[in-house]
Amino acid sequence: MNKRVVVTGMGVVSPVGNNVADFWKNILDGVCGIDFIKAFPTDDLPVKIAGEVKDFNPADYNIEPAFARKQDKFTVYAVAAAYDAMKQSGLNPEEGGNIDPFRLGVYVGSGIGGFTTQYRETEKMIREGAKWVSPLFIPTMISNIATGNVAIRNKACGPSLDIVTACATSTHAIGEAFRAIKHGYADAIIAGGSEAAVIPLGIAGFANAKALSRAEDPKYASLPFNLNRGGFVMAEGAGMVILEEYEHAKARGAEIYAEICGYGNTDDAYHVTAPRPEGTTQAKAIELALAEAGFDSGKDVLYINAHGTGTHLNDASETAAFKLALGEETARKAHISSTKSMTGHMLGAAGAVEAIASILALKNSIVPPTINLDTPDPECDLNYTPNKPEKADLTIAISDSLGFGGHNGCIAFRKAE
């Protein structure tokens, strides 16, 4: 028997806020979290802007100074977002608590993992020799270590996975966690993603691959669906949701923020970086999620949190995918936006953060804007909610993510009843 799955907690660390309340307020206010990079000198780099996390204090999330100092930032961000999500959910796996630790899982991914650690220790190896490489290098750098640390700190002994599918990572993590609970393998799962790739090597690599915006004005750089777009803007942070079996959540009186009800997963099988231009495989992931969610185009009011990176190829092919998946008429009725216009592209964390934006849009009956959409691309001719939020009686929301390697993921949520 398939079980219903709901969202009972959320946590976010992002360029526009380090908790859910601040994040949502700034998203609705159209605050741009992109600025000139402060963490390191950029004199020799072709790109000098990014969406950096600001005013982050590990102590706010009960993270000890020694842990924060020794761990890579991507792990610290993951632990912080998971702390807030678990606190909001009220789940307690301690003895006498309200969930069996073996029924609490962790599905947390990262597109790259401990990039800062890898960069620092490689430089040390080249300059000073092998004996100076930290003994903590491997267990700090590997991408599954955020998953491990989140499990340790939350006593989660149930199913545990680190999913790595580039920019689709945390959408797939949430989707696979949904399936695990739906089919009875867990009662609750901490699901999401984390990334901290804003380092010199990361900027240089993506810039030289011609993927990054080279805009000189950081506040007009991430331009999804805009004719003036010129690439995405790198960003960092983490997003986590607590997915829980409906009856389990109801029995303990948990607040339910939305129901997750659909998931689609496909691959372009086309190119290592470029999306399939006609959008067919991307559309299939969307179709699968909406079909599982029981989408009714005659009754449902749909919000789409688009992948919307601001690259020429992504935005055009994604627009085509929406039309293929929904049909032209339904696609034109959908409320769509790209919150990357404010956060930048958080890579492996993007899908989870955008899932949270989708859940909050449903809960509050309001569509967040795509800021700076002053010159719409004629190829991107759907309702991308330019510049200001819109009130709407939303009943269903989807968030899609499209990653290097052709990885496509889409998750669907329904308004909590």
Side-chain angles (χ1 to χ4, degrees):
M1 177 181 173
N2 289 336
K3 299 174 184 291
R4 293 173 66 187
V5 185
V6 294
V7 179
T8 58
M10 297 172 284
V12 64
V13 174
S14 81
V16 295
N18 298 333
N19 58 65
V20 169
D22 288 349
F23 165 78
W24 185 235
K25 180 181 185 304
N26 286 330
I27 287 291
L28 292 184
D29 289 346
V31 173
C32 182
I34 297 160
D35 209 335
F36 293 105
I37 294 168
K38 306 288 197 304
F40 50 84
T42 59
D43 297 351
D44 296 332
L45 292 172
V47 171
K48 305 177 190 303
I49 60 172
E52 293 180 289
V53 169
K54 305 162 192 70
D55 304 319
F56 176 78
N57 182 2
D60 293 342
Y61 312 91
N62 202 31
I63 296 174
E64 308 83 3
F67 182 90
R69 187 175 64 252
K70 291 177 181 178
Q71 294 296 324
D72 194 276
K73 279 200 301 184
F74 95 104
T75 292
V76 178
Y77 292 158
V79 166
Y83 173 85
D84 269 2
M86 282 292 283
K87 187 176 178 182
Q88 189 179 67
S89 77
L91 279 174
N92 177 16
E94 299 278 359
E95 188 174 348
N98 55 18
I99 189 168
D100 178 349
F102 286 98
R103 300 288 296 172
L104 174 63
V106 180
Y107 282 37
V108 172
S110 178
I112 300 175
F115 211 4
T116 299
T117 300
Q118 190 170 36
Y119 181 61
R120 182 189 64 234
E121 297 301 320
T122 300
E123 189 176 47
K124 201 186 292 183
M125 171 91 171
I126 292 168
R127 288 187 175 181
E128 301 173 37
K131 70 177 182 178
W132 295 105
V133 172
S134 170
L136 295 176
F137 169 48
I138 299 300
T140 307
M141 173 272 296
I142 49 178
S143 69
N144 72 307
I145 210 65
T147 315
N149 275 296
V150 169
I152 290 165
R153 296 177 78 90
N154 291 281
K155 297 180 171 57
C157 302
S160 181
L161 283 179
D162 165 34
I163 291 171
V164 183
T165 50
C167 306
T169 290
S170 50
T171 295
H172 284 148
I174 293 170
E176 296 298 328
F178 159 63
R179 283 185 177 168
I181 298 170
K182 179 178 178 177
H183 297 309
Y185 297 106
D187 292 327
I189 295 178
I190 305 165
S194 184
E195 206 77 79
V198 180
I199 66 169
L201 184 60
I203 295 290
F206 279 107
N208 291 350
K210 310 298 184 189
L212 296 186
S213 168
R214 302 202 179 205
E216 294 182 2
D217 178 0
K219 302 305 180 188
Y220 192 78
S222 184
L223 304 175
F225 309 109
N226 192 318
L227 188 63
N228 298 321
R229 68 191 184 277
F232 74 81
V233 178
M234 285 260 289
E236 61 183 2
M240 300 290 162
V241 295
I242 307 302
L243 302 187
E244 189 170 353
E245 193 271 321
Y246 172 71
E247 295 295 341
H248 189 278
K250 192 170 72 168
R252 66 183 187 87
E255 181 173 357
I256 293 170
Y257 295 95
E259 180 171 358
I260 179 168
C261 50
Y263 171 46
N265 179 353
T266 66
D267 196 283
D268 289 344
Y270 172 74
H271 191 272
V272 291
T273 57
R276 188 176 282 275
E278 67 273 19
T280 51
T281 43
Q282 303 94 314
K284 188 64 175 179
I286 296 165
E287 288 172 15
L288 290 167
L290 286 172
E292 187 175 13
F295 174 66
D296 184 335
S297 61
K299 295 179 181 178
D300 280 315
V301 181
L302 173 64
Y303 168 59
I304 303 173
N305 189 295
H307 189 56
T309 59
T311 65
H312 287 289
L313 293 174
N314 175 91
D315 295 2
S317 63
E318 191 175 12
T319 300
F322 293 147
K323 292 177 181 178
L324 286 170
L326 296 167
E328 188 92 17
E329 183 181 350
T330 303
R332 293 197 179 281
K333 289 193 300 182
H335 299 271
I336 312 171
S337 63
S338 172
T339 46
K340 285 187 181 75
S341 59
M342 294 167 275
T343 64
H345 192 350
M346 298 169 68
L347 307 181
V353 171
E354 290 157 17
I356 291 168
S358 302
I359 292 161
L360 293 170
L362 270 179
K363 185 176 187 296
N364 295 286
S365 299
I366 190 163
V367 179
T370 306
I371 68 166
N372 290 324
L373 188 46
D374 53 6
T375 313
D377 183 342
E379 283 192 273
C380 304
D381 57 351
L382 299 178
N383 176 17
Y384 287 111
T385 320
N387 306 312
K388 292 183 179 179
E390 292 179 4
K391 285 280 188 182
D393 293 325
L394 306 170
T395 60
I396 189 168
I398 62 171
S399 176
D400 70 303
S401 298
L402 319 172
F404 280 5
H407 297 288
N408 306 311
C410 184
I411 44 180
F413 300 92
R414 282 200 173 273
K415 202 177 189 80
E417 296 177 355

